[in-house]
């Protein structure tokens, strides 16, 4: 063997090993059909030619359907999910959907996309707390003025609309307090004045509501909740009328908000069972709510499907059902006299429950309990009632949940009775 001959590599039949490990297994037989799409994990998207890359770039810039140059603009899996969401949220309407990494980022992206310095924004006083923090924080720093309106305002919204009003931002029912808004009436007034309407549709989801039939221009879906459905992912989406899509898409591209392929796959899987899960949440939550309404410790149950709810008629007119989330208000007599006593009583009710976890978020298979601190979250219509506790009723047997809450009330009563009297 000559010394200058390259050493023979027993593995070097064809491409070098390091080339082979890069190349192997990337050609699959796309004629094999499965019920589900695969999960696309991707950053780079490949093109057949430079001309293809150029055309894809232009189509992606215009926000055309199924156009992508890079996974921040979409992969087959995320594009399939976006199509599915537009279809289920807005049947009969020409809409598009964009995916964001959380419900909150869907809210912030939708607002940033359409607002400019000097604009006026009308937001429901019953809005999700972090939405308020975004409006009062970053939006205010960028020169947008937010005004909160009474969620029961209905057509009265017209009086609050000014020449510089750009968006009315709704949420119905409201977070924690569950006011139902007259969304169609608000949309009519806003549209007549060239103002966009956006709604946070977390609670009802498309299973129980048709926000585009009500007249909204965009709806926000926290997919973290019932669409994911298993408390194991974070995602959000904005569904928007076609005419407003280019502006939203430009913001999505400039901000770089996007989602991972595995999470998109999980949301698409959650969607398949969303309707049956929500019917089960609905039935169980109603049983628990009706039981709570008969408890001596409870002043009121804030659940729009109960006849006692102040906007029950609106709920009946507009919604196809109710979900697993509602609040109840405790009677002052159920507590010790002072704030510390109240805190102890609340802790006794919530802590140590067998089936209700203490935690934020909701929409998964499991039940949750959380006192609501809404004092600072209401400015247009301050909360006048007693302490609120929010429940998410999961897929457990409702009788087990009721027994668990009964034990909580018993613990609360013991703590109150043992409290030092002065
Ligand atoms: C949870 C929630 C969101 C935010 O969703 P995340 O994915 O948790 O960011 C938005 N709006 C409402 C009404 C919610 O309950």
């Amino acid at each position: 063997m000559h010394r200058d001959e390259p050493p023979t590599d027993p593995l070097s039949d064809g491409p070098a090993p390091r080339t082979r490990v890069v190349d192997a297994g990337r050609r699959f037989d796309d004629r094999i059909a499965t019920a589900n799409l695969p999960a696309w994990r991707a950053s780079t998207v490949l093109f057949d030619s430079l001309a293809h890359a150029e055309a894809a770039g232009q189509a992606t810039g215009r926000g055309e359907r199924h156009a992508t140059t890079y996974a921040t603009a979409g992969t087959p899996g995320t594009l399939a999910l976006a199509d599915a969401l537009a279809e289920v949220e807005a049947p009969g309407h020409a809409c598009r959907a964009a995916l964001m990494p959380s419900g909150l980022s869907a809210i912030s992206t939708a607002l940033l996309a359409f607002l400019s310095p000097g604009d006026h924004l009308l937001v429901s006083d019953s809005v999700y707390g972090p939405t308020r923090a975004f409006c009062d924080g970053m939006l205010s720093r960028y020169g947008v003025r937010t005004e909160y309106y009474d969620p029961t305002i209905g057509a009265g919204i017209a009086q609050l609309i000014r020449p510089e009003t750009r968006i009315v931002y709704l949420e119905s029912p409201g977070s924690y307090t569950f006011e139902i808004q007259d969304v169609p009436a608000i949309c009519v007034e806003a549209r007549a004045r060239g103002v966009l309407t956006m709604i946070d549709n977390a609670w009802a989801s498309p299973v129980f509501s048709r926000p585009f039939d009500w007249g909204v221009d965009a709806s926000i879906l926290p997919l973290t909740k019932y669409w994911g459905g298993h408390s194991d992912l974070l995602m959000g989406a904005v569904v928007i009328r076609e005419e407003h899509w280019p502006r939203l898409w430009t913001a999505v591209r400039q901000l770089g908000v996007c989602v991972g392929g595995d999470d998109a796959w999980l949301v698409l899987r959650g969607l398949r069972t969303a309707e049956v899960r929500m019917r089960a949440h609905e039935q169980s939550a109603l049983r628990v709510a009706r039981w709570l309404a008969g408890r001596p410790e409870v002043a009121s149950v804030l659940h729009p499907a109960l006849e006692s709810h102040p906007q029950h008629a609106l709920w009946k007119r507009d919604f196809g059902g109710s979900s697993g989330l509602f609040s109840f208000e405790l009677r002052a007599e159920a507590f010790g006299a002072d704030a510390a006593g109240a805190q102890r009583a609340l802790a006794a009710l919530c802590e140590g429950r067998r089936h209700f976890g203490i935690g934020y978020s909701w929409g998964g298979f499991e039940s949750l309990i959380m006192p609501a601190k809404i004092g600072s979250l209401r400015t247009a219509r301050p909360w006048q009632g007693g302490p609120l506790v929010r429940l998410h009723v999961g897929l457990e047997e409702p009788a087990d949940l009721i027994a668990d809450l009964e034990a909580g009330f018993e613990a609360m009563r013991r703590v109150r009775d043992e409290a030092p009297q002065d």
Side-chain angles (χ1 to χ4, degrees):
M1 186 192 273
H2 294 289
R3 294 195 67 145
D4 55 356
E5 221 172 71
T8 49
D9 177 351
L11 302 179
S12 75
D13 182 19
R18 60 196 290 183
T19 303
R20 252 190 273 183
V21 296
V22 171
D23 195 47
R26 290 175 62 194
R27 279 157 291 269
F28 56 92
D29 190 337
D30 61 8
R31 293 164 306 174
I32 298 172
T34 53
N36 290 295
L37 297 174
W40 275 266
R41 282 180 157 273
S43 52
T44 298
V45 168
L46 298 176
F47 309 99
D48 299 337
S49 63
L50 295 181
H52 180 198
E54 174 68 23
Q58 287 180 4
T60 304
R62 288 190 297 266
E64 284 179 16
R65 198 168 230 117
H66 295 174
T68 181
T69 48
Y70 186 49
T72 52
T75 62
T78 61
L79 296 170
L81 175 60
D83 273 1
L85 293 171
E87 200 177 318
V88 296
E89 176 78 349
H93 300 271
C95 283
R96 297 284 299 275
L99 304 174
M100 326 284 165
S102 68
L104 182 56
S105 66
I107 294 164
S108 57
T109 303
L111 290 171
L112 278 177
F114 291 93
L115 291 166
S116 304
D119 282 349
H120 176 241
L121 168 67
L122 284 166
V123 175
S124 167
D125 204 32
S126 60
V127 80
Y128 176 61
T131 304
R132 183 180 281 260
F134 176 71
C135 294
D136 296 345
M138 193 173 285
L139 284 186
S140 134
R141 197 148 54 74
Y142 289 143
V144 173
R145 222 182 82 56
T146 300
E147 182 177 346
Y148 295 95
Y149 67 85
D150 181 336
T152 63
I153 200 166
I157 197 79
Q159 267 85 64
L160 300 182
I161 293 176
R162 312 179 194 163
E164 66 274 23
T165 306
R166 180 80 173 109
I167 297 174
V168 179
Y169 186 92
L170 307 99
E171 185 178 321
S172 181
S175 276
Y176 289 119
T177 42
F178 296 87
E179 298 90 343
I180 298 284
Q181 299 192 36
D182 192 340
V183 178
I186 291 175
C187 289
V188 164
E189 300 302 328
R191 175 151 304 188
R193 292 162 181 79
V195 174
L196 284 178
T197 47
M198 296 183 177
I199 191 166
D200 182 329
N201 199 24
W203 182 82
S205 89
V207 171
F208 292 140
S209 67
R210 293 279 191 94
F212 288 87
D213 288 358
W214 299 340
V216 303
D217 293 305
S219 85
I220 281 113
L221 296 177
L223 303 170
T224 307
K225 310 291 168 58
Y226 286 118
W227 292 116
H230 296 76
S231 310
D232 53 5
L233 61 87
L234 293 161
M235 201 181 293
V238 180
V239 180
I240 194 162
R241 291 187 193 270
E242 194 86 56
E243 67 212 86
H244 302 300
W245 169 256
R247 181 132 180 188
L248 176 70
W249 183 242
T250 299
V252 167
R253 299 298 294 140
Q254 290 181 0
L255 290 167
V257 285
C258 56
V259 306
D262 288 339
D263 285 344
W265 187 90
L266 283 170
V267 173
L268 207 47
R269 181 163 83 161
L271 189 136
R272 306 299 173 214
T273 56
E275 150 86 25
V276 289
R277 283 188 283 109
M278 288 204 63
R279 295 277 168 207
H281 284 291
E282 172 179 46
Q283 290 310 312
S284 298
L286 280 170
R287 277 211 27 215
V288 175
R290 294 211 166 96
W291 176 80
L292 281 167
R295 288 293 305 191
E297 300 88 347
V298 173
S300 69
V301 178
L302 309 177
H303 188 311
L306 295 190
E307 297 69 21
S308 57
H309 187 279
Q311 293 94 38
H312 176 68
L314 275 182
W315 171 81
K316 226 169 146 171
R317 184 192 73 186
D318 291 344
F319 288 80
S322 56
S323 70
L325 191 78
F326 65 94
S327 293
F328 59 94
E329 177 195 353
L330 288 158
R331 271 189 213 289
E333 306 88 84
F335 287 92
D338 55 0
Q343 219 31 55
R344 276 196 304 274
L346 267 180
L349 173 62
C350 300
E351 291 172 3
R353 300 281 59 78
R354 172 137 187 214
H355 303 294
F356 288 88
I358 299 174
Y360 294 105
S361 203
W362 47 275
F365 52 86
E366 83 289 18
S367 292
L368 295 167
I369 188 165
M370 192 57 125
K373 290 205 191 88
I374 62 163
S376 61
L377 292 179
R378 290 291 186 281
T379 48
R381 195 177 194 223
W383 173 248
Q384 307 282 7
L388 281 182
V389 176
R390 189 179 75 176
L391 294 183
H392 178 249
V393 173
L395 299 177
E396 304 90 343
E397 165 59 44
D400 292 333
L401 299 179
I402 287 171
D404 202 15
L405 291 173
E406 198 157 24
F409 282 132
E410 180 54 31
M412 197 170 96
R413 194 189 55 74
R414 274 199 307 274
V415 163
R416 186 201 56 193
D417 294 348
E418 283 160 14
Q421 308 291 323
D422 45 31

